[in-house]
Amino acid sequence: MKKTYKIEVDCANCANLIEAATKKVEGVKDASVAFMTQKMKVEFEDDADAESVMADVLKAAKKIEPDFEIL
């Protein structure tokens, strides 16, 4: 399953770091973060609970950028 989320990220470098961190979260098959459009696309593993996985993604992203938000 793939989902797109509106996000708020401050810089392109932070977006790249958040993308890399998201790809390491258990349950994420693939991810991309676009700074210019302020969007995050996440492809989940087949058996993953999207809400639970996104909670973990948010935790990982906030370690990189404390102001990061999923809108």
Side-chain angles (χ1 to χ4, degrees):
M1 167 176 51
K2 292 182 184 180
K3 284 190 160 190
T4 301
Y5 299 91
K6 289 188 72 138
I7 59 168
E8 192 170 303
V9 64
D10 293 336
C11 69
N13 186 49
C14 294
N16 289 335
L17 293 171
I18 289 169
E19 179 178 310
T22 299
K23 289 179 178 183
K24 294 178 183 177
V25 172
E26 189 173 334
V28 174
K29 191 172 190 177
D30 194 23
S32 66
V33 176
F35 170 69
M36 293 300 290
T37 60
Q38 296 284 298
K39 291 189 179 176
M40 171 188 272
K41 293 180 182 179
V42 181
E43 183 176 356
F44 300 95
E45 296 289 344
D46 293 333
D47 59 344
D49 173 40
E51 282 188 37
S52 175
V53 171
M54 288 309 293
D56 292 341
V57 167
L58 185 59
K59 286 179 194 173
K62 285 203 175 269
K63 288 180 183 176
I64 296 163
E65 184 180 328
D67 295 335
F68 178 81
E69 291 185 43
I70 299 174
L71 307 173

